[in-house]
Amino acid sequence: MDCFNYPLDTETLLRKKRRLRKELLAQNPHPLQKRIAILGGSTTNEVADQLGLFLLQYGIQAEFYQSEYAQYWQDAMFGTPELDEFHPDIIYIHTSWRNLTALPTTADSEAAIDAMLDEQYAHFETMWQALEQKFACPVIQNNFDRPNFRLMGNRDIWDPHGRSNFISRLNQKFYAYAASHEHFYINDIDYLSADYGLTAWGDAFFWHMYKYAICLDAIPSLANSVANIIKSLYGRNKKALVLDLDNTLWGGIVGDDGVDGLAIGPEVPEGQVYAEFQSYCKALKSIGVILAVDSKNDEANALAGLNHPDGVLRPDDFVAIKANWDPKDLNLKAIASELNLGADSFVFADDNPAERAIVAAQVPGLDGAENYIKTLDHGGYFEVTALSKEDLKKTELYHQNAERAKAQAAFADYGQYLDSLEMTATIKGFEPLYIQRIAQLTNKSNQFNLTTLRCSEDDIRAMAGDKNDLCLCGKLVDKFGDNGIVTVVAGRQQGDVLDLTLWLMSCRVLKRGMEDAMMDTVVAEAAARGVKTIVGHYYPTAKNAMVREFYAQYDFAKTAEDADGNTEWTLDVAAYTPKHPHMKIER
């Protein structure tokens, strides 16, 4: 549906939302269910409607609680029976500059303004802390847009008496809180309003007539921004950017114009545009996005273009390069297979609309090189809500996997290949050092994930601190490098029964024996606790069919199955035979 892509088709989103909702539900009949409380300082009905649409596009169906008009603070601080019973998964605080109860004037002293700033900030901080204590769920808070007038003109931004200056300082306090508190996120309406056009965004007509904090046509942009945060929290981000080459990463056709004839670099304006786009793509690697090439080209020409002296990207920046004359959708499927990623993890950028049309993961409207960055950036494909050490070195990890694949080709016996990797698995409890990565894996791992239980860092800490919970995570190192934390298991013990509620593994280490090492350890730990029976569960999703029979491989007996395909499996601990995988296991 093109109406959800940048630039947003606001008219369709606002006028045909019922039809869009019906179509989205038909495309994804089993969406992830989430409860979202919107605490508003203004009217929020259309905000909820539009947010619901954007979330459905990401496979998340939201049920909403909305505070009464301008009752956001009262609901947060004193609660309501409806909000308490709602048990929100996420709270979104929709406020704007109009909800500030005091703003400086030229008659105020700087000391009085500082006190006013502290008072306004305390109003919000007290509310956030109350919500965290009561609901222990992620909170999304708007920062403040600016009024679309400046009483002192340009002086308004730097003079302490200016409203623009005051709001900017208040926003900085919000950012400091976000930096020091997990599960607290800023929805940047200061940027959104500037990008939309502040005069239109803050059209006073909509405030005085309907009590909307922003103009009606800007609400889809707001909803898209909030939805990007939420879909990132629940692992619905894209993971890879796949790029064409000719007239996408450089101007010209390398096979016809030669490397010297390509437009890239400082010599001509067109070349500067492409160099800037390459710099943007390279910067994406720093937030964990992996890059690949899918181009109709001879491979030698493609590599020559990527080694252009004025280029920014080099062949090593890509985890896969498909430069051939095969259809691009087939190349994309091949890349997905090589990387063990679902095809829906990719975004495809190509200047040619005919080529884009055959690839479902395309970036629509990628026309005009000067617009490439804006189109990709506004698409919100790679929203960052957490950044782990693994994210920072993701390209390196995939290159290491490629080296492993090359090594495998030299062996006829797979067991000998595994031995050659010299693997060491380190399996430990949920230690503080790994909490962020464990939570991230629960929200990102979809294929090898038996129950798709999504956990926050606080959830993981609660499990780790409960003596009745068995919690294990596994790290895998081999001669090519450190894969980091790649598997997580958690279960609750009741008497002599251990019920496994969480079992997942990164697809980077599939078929390397890590699942065997973890199962051996789980059973050994369970036996040491006096457990006689282990119960496992499989809940089917659109992506996890690969682990449908996972427990059968370890002699679990299927003991229940319902009409939706949810299955239960049991294991007699005493009868389990260890798998002894091809690796050293450390505890």
Side-chain angles (χ1 to χ4, degrees):
M1 296 180 182
D2 286 346
C3 60
F4 290 102
N5 297 310
Y6 178 80
L8 300 176
D9 182 351
T10 301
E11 182 175 359
T12 298
L13 288 165
L14 291 171
R15 276 69 178 180
K16 299 181 180 179
K17 56 190 176 186
R18 290 186 178 86
R19 188 200 76 191
L20 291 171
R21 177 179 172 80
K22 184 176 179 181
E23 291 176 358
L24 288 166
L25 283 171
Q27 291 176 9
N28 189 349
H30 303 292
L32 184 65
Q33 303 289 330
K34 292 296 172 183
R35 296 180 301 276
I36 300 174
I38 300 180
L39 307 185
S42 57
T43 303
T44 59
N45 294 337
E46 192 63 50
V47 174
D49 287 349
Q50 292 298 311
L51 180 56
L53 283 181
F54 279 95
L55 288 174
L56 268 181
Q57 188 210 8
Y58 297 126
I60 302 170
Q61 185 173 18
E63 178 186 354
F64 290 103
Y65 167 90
Q66 297 181 63
S67 65
E68 295 296 330
Y69 166 71
Q71 295 297 300
Y72 71 97
W73 198 84
Q74 289 83 346
D75 278 15
M77 295 301 298
F78 309 118
T80 68
E82 294 80 9
L83 178 59
D84 294 345
E85 293 173 7
F86 187 67
H87 300 297
D89 297 305
I90 285 180
I91 295 171
Y92 167 46
I93 303 171
H94 176 63
T95 48
S96 73
W97 73 270
R98 291 184 180 278
N99 297 117
L100 297 176
T101 56
L103 289 165
T105 70
T106 53
D108 294 315
S109 67
E110 290 194 22
I113 294 172
D114 288 344
M116 185 187 302
L117 183 71
D118 291 340
E119 181 182 358
Q120 292 296 305
Y121 173 72
H123 171 83
F124 285 91
E125 184 184 48
T126 303
M127 174 181 64
W128 302 331
Q129 292 175 346
L131 289 171
E132 179 182 359
Q133 183 176 4
K134 188 169 188 177
F135 295 108
C137 70
V139 172
I140 301 172
Q141 167 72 60
N142 284 354
N143 60 1
F144 293 107
D145 49 353
R146 299 179 189 179
N148 57 4
F149 62 89
R150 297 176 301 169
L151 187 64
M152 294 187 285
N154 289 297
R155 186 184 181 98
D156 210 70
I157 192 61
W158 63 264
D159 190 308
H161 301 87
R163 291 185 172 190
S164 298
N165 178 273
F166 185 84
I167 288 170
S168 179
R169 291 173 65 194
L170 185 54
N171 278 342
Q172 289 298 324
K173 286 181 171 288
F174 277 36
Y175 307 153
Y177 186 90
S180 60
H181 289 78
E182 295 171 351
H183 316 308
F184 181 86
Y185 305 93
I186 297 292
N187 181 48
D188 189 4
I189 67 171
D190 184 38
Y191 169 82
L192 292 174
S193 59
D195 182 64
Y196 189 86
L198 187 57
T199 299
W201 172 278
D203 189 337
F205 170 83
F206 291 92
W207 174 257
H208 295 300
M209 182 63 69
Y210 307 112
K211 287 297 181 280
Y212 275 119
I214 61 178
C215 75
L216 187 64
D217 284 349
I219 290 177
S221 296
L222 172 86
N224 182 35
S225 179
V226 179
N228 283 334
I229 297 173
I230 296 172
K231 58 94 169 165
S232 176
L233 290 174
Y234 292 113
R236 300 303 173 98
N237 266 358
K238 301 299 184 183
K239 297 179 180 178
L241 174 60
V242 182
L243 295 152
D244 177 44
L245 296 177
D246 294 328
N247 292 313
T248 299
L249 287 186
W250 51 67
I253 300 173
V254 66
D256 294 339
D257 302 321
V259 174
D260 293 341
L262 298 180
I264 184 170
E267 300 303 325
V268 294
E270 183 186 11
Q272 295 170 28
V273 169
Y274 286 106
E276 186 175 42
F277 180 56
Q278 287 200 19
S279 295
Y280 172 78
C281 294
K282 189 154 187 153
L284 287 174
K285 289 175 54 186
S286 70
I287 59 169
V289 178
I290 57 175
L291 305 179
V293 167
D294 184 356
S295 173
K296 284 189 173 177
N297 249 310
D298 289 329
E299 185 173 357
N301 287 334
L303 294 174
L306 288 171
N307 284 304
H308 191 290
D310 290 330
V312 178
L313 290 168
R314 293 288 180 256
D316 284 349
D317 289 313
F318 299 91
V319 298
I321 296 176
K322 298 293 182 186
N324 53 44
W325 301 100
D326 294 336
K328 292 191 176 182
D329 59 330
L330 297 183
N331 278 335
L332 198 62
K333 289 177 182 177
I335 294 170
S337 177
E338 291 172 9
L339 301 179
N340 283 318
L341 292 174
D344 60 353
S345 298
F346 292 85
V347 175
F348 177 61
D350 192 317
D351 70 294
N352 188 331
E355 296 289 358
R356 293 201 303 265
I358 66 171
V359 176
Q362 57 147 322
V363 178
L366 201 68
D367 300 313
E370 67 278 5
N371 296 315
Y372 289 176
I373 295 176
K374 179 171 62 178
T375 303
L376 272 172
D377 192 66
H378 282 51
Y381 305 107
F382 309 113
E383 180 83 24
V384 176
T385 48
L387 202 58
S388 67
K389 292 180 179 179
E390 283 79 5
D391 290 327
L392 300 179
K393 61 178 185 178
K394 193 165 287 183
T395 296
E396 177 187 347
L397 293 174
Y398 277 102
H399 281 310
Q400 291 170 1
N401 265 358
E403 292 299 315
R404 295 181 186 102
K406 291 179 183 177
Q408 181 180 346
F411 289 89
D413 180 83
Y414 190 66
Q416 292 178 356
Y417 159 67
L418 292 178
D419 288 335
S420 76
L421 292 177
E422 302 171 10
M423 293 184 288
T424 297
T426 303
I427 299 176
K428 295 181 177 291
F430 289 179
E431 297 181 351
L433 178 64
Y434 303 127
I435 294 295
Q436 182 189 49
R437 173 59 176 166
I438 293 168
Q440 186 185 55
L441 274 173
T442 70
N443 286 293
K444 284 190 173 184
S445 299
N446 295 305
Q447 295 184 80
F448 195 115
N449 193 332
L450 285 113
T451 62
T452 60
L453 177 67
R454 309 301 187 184
C455 301
S456 68
E457 292 179 29
D458 286 338
D459 294 332
I460 299 300
R461 290 191 184 91
M463 291 180 190
D466 193 323
K467 65 180 182 180
N468 293 315
D469 284 354
L470 173 64
C471 304
L472 296 170
C473 63
K475 178 180 180 180
L476 186 63
V477 177
D478 61 32
K479 68 180 183 181
F480 292 108
D482 185 349
N483 292 278
I485 299 297
V486 292
T487 185
V488 177
V489 176
R492 171 154 286 246
Q493 182 178 354
Q494 294 181 311
D496 61 1
V497 176
L498 177 66
D499 190 73
L500 297 176
T501 55
L502 176 65
W503 192 307
L504 59 86
M505 190 172 73
S506 168
C507 289
R508 287 204 310 269
V509 296
L510 279 177
K511 300 180 181 179
R512 304 257 307 273
M514 191 64 191
E515 56 269 55
D516 296 338
M518 185 60 92
M519 184 63 83
D520 283 357
T521 305
V522 167
V523 176
E525 286 283 313
R529 286 168 163 247
V531 169
K532 295 181 179 179
T533 303
I534 298 176
V535 180
H537 305 272
Y538 167 72
Y539 302 142
T541 70
K543 294 185 176 183
N544 72 353
M546 68 181 298
V547 291
R548 184 186 304 276
E549 300 296 321
F550 172 76
Y551 285 115
Q553 304 170 52
Y554 298 96
D555 302 322
F556 281 68
K558 187 190 295 186
T559 52
E561 182 170 7
D562 64 20
D564 294 326
N566 299 305
T567 55
E568 181 180 282
W569 304 75
T570 60
L571 174 73
D572 179 355
V573 171
Y576 177 74
T577 302
K579 301 303 178 184
H580 301 300
H582 296 258
M583 62 181 66
K584 179 181 178 182
I585 300 176
E586 296 182 346
R587 294 302 313 277

